[in-house]
Amino acid sequence: MARPVSSFRCTECGWTTLKWAGRCGECQQWGTVVDMTEKASLSRAVKPVAVIGSGIARPITHVDTTAVSHWPTGIGEFDRVLGGGIVPGSVILLSGEPGVGKSTLLLEVASKAAAAKSRVLYVSAEESVSQVRLRAERTGALQPELFIAAETDLATVLGQIDAVQPSLVIIDSVQTVASGLSDGLPGQPSQVREVASTLIRVAKDRNLPILLVGHVTKDGSIAGPRLLEHLVDVVCQFEGDRQTALRFVRALKNRFGPTDEVGCFEMTGEGISEVPDPSGLFLTRGGVLVPGTCVTVALEGRRAMPVEVQALVMPSSAPNPRRVTNGVDSSRVAMIIAVLEQRAEVKGLGASDVYVSTVGGIRLTEPGADLAIALAIASAARNKPIGHDVVAFGEISLAGEVRPVSSAKQRASEAARLGFVTRIDSGAGRLDSAILLALREPVSARDAELDAAFR
C-alpha cells in the first residue's frame, strides 16, 4: 500500500513544499510552514445556518451609528491622528522602535481616561507592576481608576478583563502574550494570530476599545504575521530619533478617520507632551544673517511645518570630496549639487566638501524641499546670506527647472502666518533665477519683474 504523501503549507501566503522548512520560501516568514496532510486538505461542505434576530441583514440606511462616535482621549495630538478619538469596540495597534516612547504615550492615555472616571486596565507583559508604577509616578499618571496587571497568558488577561470590567484595555505588548490553545513561543506568527483574533473578538462582543503595542523588526515593519495589520481597525506608527526629543505619530491605517494626519510630541523628563504648534522647533532665526541657511515649508501629513535647512561648503584636498547629510536624502543632495553646478553655474562644488543638515532633527523626504536645499548650498558656496524673511519650496528637475509642489496654497499660508515676506517657488521658473532672488544679487529686467511679483 502506498505511503501517504505529506505536504507542508505556509499559513501566511499558501506556499507549499514537500519538505518542512523553518522559513517560508515565498513570504520569508519564520515558523509558518505546517504539515497539511492530504486528508486535512479535503474541502468539506458547509451547511447554511438560519439567521434570526438582529443578525439578519438590513438596509445600510437603517444602521444606527450613534454607537461608533469617537471618544476623546484628552491628548489632542493623538486624537488628531485617530480622527477625533477612540471608537468603542475598536482595536488600535501602536508600533515603534524600542525606547521611542510607546509605553509612555499609552500610559498617558490611560491616565487621562482614568482621570475622566473611566476604568482602565493596563496589562504589561514586559514590565513588572512596580516598574510601571515608578514610570507612572515620574510622569504623573497615578489615578485610582487605573488598574495595572503584569500577565503574559491570554486566558489570565481575559480573566482580568472579566474581574475589572474596564472601559479601556491596553496590552503592552501583543507579541509577548501567549495562548495555551496555540503551539509555539510568544511572538511567533501562530501565537500572535491567536492572541490578536481573541482580543479583537472580545472588543467587538463587549464594545470595548483595546490598544495594542506592537514590536517592529530591523527594517521597521511590524513583527509577526501581516494578518495582524488586517485584523485591527487602526494601525499607528510612533517615529522619532532617540537622540532627539521630537516624536511623530502617523496613522498607516484608520477605518474611522484620515490616514494623512500626524501628531507631534516631545519627550521630556516628566514623560511625553504634545506639541500643537511645532513651528518654533525647526527654526533658528537669530539676529545675524549667516550664509548657508534657507527656510522651507514641509508637509507632515496634512500639517505644514517650517523647517530650516543649513549647508556648509568647504574646499577639499581629498580626491573624493565628502557629501555629509543629516535629515535629508544623500542621493537627492548629490543630484541637486550636480544641477547647481551644471545648470545654475555654481562653480567649485565638485571639488568641495558639502554638508547639509536640518534643524531640530526632522527628516525631509518630499521633493518640495529641493529648492531650499539648493538655495542653502548656493548661499554657502557664494558666501552670501539669505534674508530671514525668505521662504522657498519647489521641486528641482535635472533641466534646472523649479516645478510646483502639492498643497502650495497651504504652504504659502503657513509662511505668511509666520511672517515670511518673500516667497520663492515655481514662479521663479528656473533655478538660476531663484538663486538671484534669494541672494538678492543684481538681476536682469525679467528677474526684477519676478522679484517685484514675489514681493
Side-chain angles (χ1 to χ4, degrees):
M1 186 175 180
R3 183 180 179 182
V5 179
S6 297
S7 177
F8 296 87
R9 178 176 177 270
C10 175
T11 57
E12 289 298 310
C13 64
W15 177 74
T16 57
T17 178
L18 295 178
K19 296 190 301 182
W20 180 85
R23 186 178 189 180
C24 174
E26 182 69 25
C27 64
Q28 303 299 317
Q29 290 285 343
W30 288 94
T32 59
V33 180
V34 297
D35 186 7
M36 304 291 292
T37 61
E38 185 177 358
K39 180 179 179 180
S41 64
L42 294 177
S43 60
R44 298 180 179 179
V46 179
K47 297 181 180 179
V49 177
V51 182
I52 59 175
S54 60
I56 300 177
R58 58 190 185 274
I60 193 172
T61 55
H62 296 173
V63 178
D64 185 14
T65 59
T66 57
V68 294
S69 59
H70 291 81
W71 169 53
T73 63
I75 303 177
E77 292 297 299
F78 195 45
D79 290 339
R80 174 201 294 267
V81 178
L82 297 179
I86 299 175
V87 175
S90 64
V91 180
I92 302 171
L93 177 63
L94 179 65
S95 66
E97 295 184 354
V100 75
K102 303 182 297 297
S103 301
T104 304
L105 174 62
L106 293 186
L107 188 61
E108 182 72 16
V109 172
S111 174
K112 295 286 186 181
K117 306 304 179 182
S118 297
R119 182 166 294 186
V120 181
L121 174 61
Y122 189 102
V123 179
S124 175
E126 300 178 356
E127 299 176 282
S128 64
V129 174
S130 58
Q131 289 175 323
V132 178
R133 163 66 189 253
L134 289 175
R135 188 168 70 248
E137 289 180 352
R138 177 174 56 86
T139 59
L142 294 178
Q143 297 292 338
E145 290 296 318
L146 176 56
F147 290 73
I148 305 294
E151 303 291 348
T152 58
D153 181 64
L154 179 61
T156 308
V157 172
L158 298 179
Q160 293 282 4
I161 295 176
D162 291 336
V164 177
Q165 294 294 317
S167 301
L168 175 66
V169 176
I170 299 176
I171 308 294
D172 186 7
S173 64
V174 67
Q175 280 89 0
T176 53
V177 178
S179 172
L181 301 179
S182 179
D183 297 331
L185 298 174
Q188 289 190 347
S190 58
Q191 284 285 0
V192 175
R193 187 186 306 109
E194 178 67 25
V195 171
S197 301
T198 303
L199 292 176
I200 290 172
R201 185 174 65 253
V202 171
K204 304 304 179 184
D205 293 344
R206 306 189 183 191
N207 207 28
L208 173 66
I210 298 179
L211 295 175
L212 304 177
V213 176
H215 295 170
V216 295
T217 58
K218 291 187 296 184
D219 59 355
S221 59
I222 300 176
R226 195 61 183 250
L227 182 66
L228 176 62
E229 301 177 48
H230 291 285
L231 291 176
V232 298
D233 300 306
V234 182
V235 179
C236 295
Q237 186 173 5
F238 205 16
E239 301 175 351
D241 187 0
R242 283 183 291 179
Q243 307 301 324
T244 61
L246 191 64
R247 300 289 188 270
F248 290 105
V249 177
R250 307 175 188 271
L252 305 181
K253 171 189 175 182
N254 193 350
R255 291 173 177 167
F256 312 110
T259 58
D260 54 357
E261 285 286 3
V262 177
C264 188
F265 297 88
E266 184 179 9
M267 290 294 294
T268 63
E270 292 75 24
I272 191 167
S273 59
E274 52 183 327
V275 185
D277 188 7
S279 301
L281 296 178
F282 315 114
L283 296 177
T284 58
R285 303 170 68 182
V288 180
L289 292 176
V290 179
T293 63
C294 185
V295 177
T296 185
V297 180
L299 282 183
E300 286 289 341
R302 291 193 294 182
R303 170 179 291 181
M305 292 188 298
V307 180
E308 182 175 328
V309 181
Q310 297 181 345
L312 181 63
V313 178
M314 293 290 295
S316 176
S317 58
N320 296 319
R322 301 183 64 186
R323 304 286 186 262
V324 181
T325 61
N326 181 28
V328 294
D329 186 22
S330 58
S331 60
R332 197 81 185 177
V333 172
M335 185 201 74
I336 293 174
I337 292 174
V339 174
L340 281 171
E341 192 159 12
Q342 186 69 22
R343 306 296 184 186
E345 297 184 356
V346 181
K347 303 301 181 182
L349 294 178
S352 303
D353 294 333
V354 180
Y355 305 85
V356 181
S357 177
T358 58
V359 174
I362 191 173
R363 181 166 183 82
L364 295 176
T365 58
E366 60 167 340
D370 288 354
L371 184 56
I373 297 174
L375 295 181
I377 296 175
S379 172
R382 296 183 178 179
N383 199 28
K384 292 186 177 180
I386 298 175
H388 287 319
D389 61 339
V390 177
V391 64
F393 48 85
E395 180 182 1
I396 297 177
S397 68
L398 293 179
E401 301 172 344
V402 181
R403 296 178 175 176
V405 295
S406 61
S407 305
K409 292 184 179 180
Q410 183 181 358
R411 299 173 196 256
S413 176
E414 180 67 14
R417 185 183 72 86
L418 296 174
F420 291 97
V421 179
T422 304
R423 186 179 77 251
I424 304 177
D425 52 15
S426 59
R430 296 191 58 82
L431 180 57
D432 50 357
S433 300
I435 294 175
L436 294 177
L437 292 173
L439 301 183
R440 296 174 180 174
E441 295 181 347
V443 297
S444 62
R446 176 180 176 276
D447 292 331
E449 294 177 0
L450 288 173
D451 195 9
F454 284 130
R455 296 176 183 278

